[in-house]
Amino acid sequence: MKNAREFFSYVLPSLAAFALSGVYAVVDGFFVGNSIGDAGLAAINFAFPVTALLQAAGTGIGMGGAIRFAICGAQGDAEGERHYFSSALLLLLLCGALLSLIFFVLAGPLLEALGAEGATLTLGMEYLIFIAAGALFQVFGTGLIPLIRNMGGSLCAMFAMSAGFIANIILDWLFIMVFGWGMAGAAAATVIGQAVTALGAVLYFAAKRSPLSLPPARRILHLFSAILKISFAPFGITFSPMIGMILMNRFAVFYGGEGAVACYACVGYIVTIVYLLLQGIGDGCQPMISRYYGRGRRADMKRTCRLAYATAGALSLLSVCLLFLTRWRIGGLFGASPPVSLGVGETLPLFLAGVLFLAYTRITASGFYATEESLLSYILVYAEPLLLLVFLLLLPAFLGLTGVWLAMPASQMTTALIAAAVKRRADSPNACRVG
């Protein structure tokens, strides 16, 4: 019971924060769809993976630094705590500045590569230029949250993300519906919302007098390497839905045109909320798992993992039932046209078929990277988008647009089978380090 209370004290605030993050993703689509229509909805769907890349980069680096911070703390290494905390902040700064420059210069070619053209390309450019200009805020807004959680501030992390969400939704309404700034207004609202979250995190660190101290220059590369080694897995978990979105957009526009992309935009927004909730469970219990791992408390690690699987499974089933019952109303939520709304209702059940399998994979991968099993976590995180590409190349050739939709659950089911095999091997007496 004590383990369960501690588990939910970490996981429930994380779930609430990721639920807000999921709604965060929907807000721009809601206001743009109701203001501009199907073209705007398709444009923001093409541009959104770039925004997600910024947030995934922040999450990956922040989580990598946070895991090393937690393990050092569990082992009584105060100097390691200080160095990993400071190195994570420096990496976030460098990453945010670099990505801002890249996306500002390459916004047009990136959107074209993602499949945008004509009016969709013009609207996407308008959105992406503003996102690139504020990239630093987005990287920090997501990257500081895992560090707060691993300092015992799960509730504060939730409040920081909540403040950003509230700012975003108010500014979306003001910039788009009142001022009529369209795509630029949506992007500006997103950037300011993330800046509010980052400010909340900075205030938390200041209040806690967090251990900021730059490590010796000779150790910087080693610390960066240790953080990045872990970070590629949480980065992949955060960004893999967007890799899926990129692939799905390309095949949807080829087999079904702009209407199919708008349909997938609605489905993708809604299903992404479920994906983020599952990530909330994995990231929420990560501080516990990393701390138990650092102290060698294997039995507590296993209990925490079992609780995570049970919670993710129950949440998945509840989400599937709720979305299935409301599937005919989702298109209208985004201001989609009647034909697109009908397509959403018909298509969504196919995507829901893979959710329970995805839950198993997500928790397994989170358990691996929380205990520095980086290679195993990479296998699970990156197998899914690779398998999605394989199924997209095979199924639509026989089933057309229906094959495009079926590729997603097929890849999730296959990845879950791989996860079960990898976990079984890791759980063997000679190989296991994670429950």
Side-chain angles (χ1 to χ4, degrees), residues 287-323:
M288 294 176 63
I289 296 174
S290 295
R291 188 171 68 247
Y292 293 148
Y293 167 74
R295 295 173 181 171
R297 292 168 58 178
R298 180 182 171 83
D300 286 323
M301 286 167 52
K302 284 192 169 185
R303 278 193 290 271
T304 302
C305 287
R306 284 196 293 268
L307 280 168
Y309 282 119
T311 305
L315 183 62
S316 297
L317 290 174
L318 179 62
S319 300
V320 167
C321 292
L322 180 62
L323 292 178

Side-chain angles (χ1 to χ4, degrees), residues 110-136:
L110 279 171
L111 286 170
E112 289 176 347
L114 293 171
E117 56 186 23
T120 303
L121 176 60
T122 302
L123 292 169
M125 277 283 293
E126 184 181 343
Y127 182 82
L128 194 52
I129 289 296
F130 279 86
I131 290 294
L136 193 63

Side-chain angles (χ1 to χ4, degrees), residues 60-407:
I61 293 171
M63 183 63 74
I67 288 171
R68 289 302 309 154
F69 177 91
I71 292 172
C72 287
Q75 295 173 343
D77 182 2
E79 182 181 70
E81 280 186 309
R82 291 194 302 272
H83 286 174
Y84 277 110
F85 176 78
S86 304
S87 298
L89 295 185
L90 183 56
L91 262 179
L92 289 171
L93 177 63
L94 294 173
C95 178
L98 179 62
L99 290 176
S100 179
L101 177 62
I102 290 172
F103 292 141
F104 194 81
V105 173
L106 299 177
L110 279 171
L111 286 170
E112 289 176 347
L114 293 171
E117 56 186 23
T120 303
L121 176 60
T122 302
L123 292 169
M125 277 283 293
E126 184 181 343
Y127 182 82
L128 194 52
I129 289 296
F130 279 86
I131 290 294
L136 193 63
F137 294 115
Q138 298 202 73
V139 170
F140 268 99
T142 53
L144 299 180
I145 295 300
L147 289 163
I148 294 178
R149 287 199 194 99
N150 281 268
M151 292 178 178
S154 294
L155 284 173
C156 291
M158 182 187 73
F159 290 139
M161 292 184 71
S162 301
F165 165 73
I166 293 169
N168 184 46
I169 195 169
I170 292 173
L171 293 175
D172 260 328
W173 169 79
L174 184 65
F175 292 166
I176 299 173
M177 308 304 288
V178 178
F179 294 163
W181 291 352
M183 304 293 288
T190 295
V191 169
I192 294 172
Q194 289 288 2
V196 169
T197 297
L199 177 61
V202 170
L203 292 175
Y204 173 83
F205 295 142
K208 292 280 289 186
R209 298 183 179 179
S210 300
L212 180 63
S213 101
L214 287 177
R218 66 181 184 275
R219 292 206 64 207
I220 286 287
L221 289 180
H222 169 75
L223 294 166
F224 280 5
S225 176
I227 291 172
L228 290 174
K229 182 180 178 182
I230 299 171
S231 70
F232 286 114
F235 166 84
I237 282 184
T238 306
F239 191 64
S240 61
M242 297 307 108
I243 299 175
M245 181 178 287
I246 293 168
L247 294 173
M248 294 291 287
N249 281 338
R250 294 291 293 181
F251 282 84
V253 76
F254 181 79
Y255 284 95
E258 186 178 283
V261 176
C263 174
Y264 177 66
C266 300
V267 172
Y269 273 129
I270 291 297
V271 175
T272 296
I273 295 177
V274 182
Y275 295 171
L276 288 168
L277 289 174
L278 295 175
Q279 187 179 348
I281 297 172
D283 285 6
C285 65
Q286 170 271 314
M288 294 176 63
I289 296 174
S290 295
R291 188 171 68 247
Y292 293 148
Y293 167 74
R295 295 173 181 171
R297 292 168 58 178
R298 180 182 171 83
D300 286 323
M301 286 167 52
K302 284 192 169 185
R303 278 193 290 271
T304 302
C305 287
R306 284 196 293 268
L307 280 168
Y309 282 119
T311 305
L315 183 62
S316 297
L317 290 174
L318 179 62
S319 300
V320 167
C321 292
L322 180 62
L323 292 178
F324 182 80
L325 293 174
T326 59
R327 65 192 185 280
W328 301 109
R329 300 182 180 182
I330 289 172
L333 175 67
F334 294 99
S337 61
V340 169
S341 295
L342 179 63
V344 171
E346 293 172 343
T347 302
L348 184 58
L350 300 179
F351 287 83
L352 297 179
V355 168
L356 194 59
F357 296 94
L358 181 71
Y360 178 80
T361 303
R362 285 286 189 269
I363 300 304
T364 304
S366 295
F368 284 147
Y369 68 66
T371 55
E372 300 186 292
E373 292 279 10
S374 300
L375 178 60
L376 299 180
S377 63
Y378 294 166
I379 291 171
L380 301 189
V381 168
Y382 294 103
E384 184 186 334
L386 180 60
L387 286 168
L388 176 61
L389 177 59
V390 171
F391 283 117
L392 282 171
L393 291 171
L394 295 175
L395 296 180
F398 300 98
L399 301 172
L401 186 59
T402 302
V404 175
W405 306 144
L406 285 172

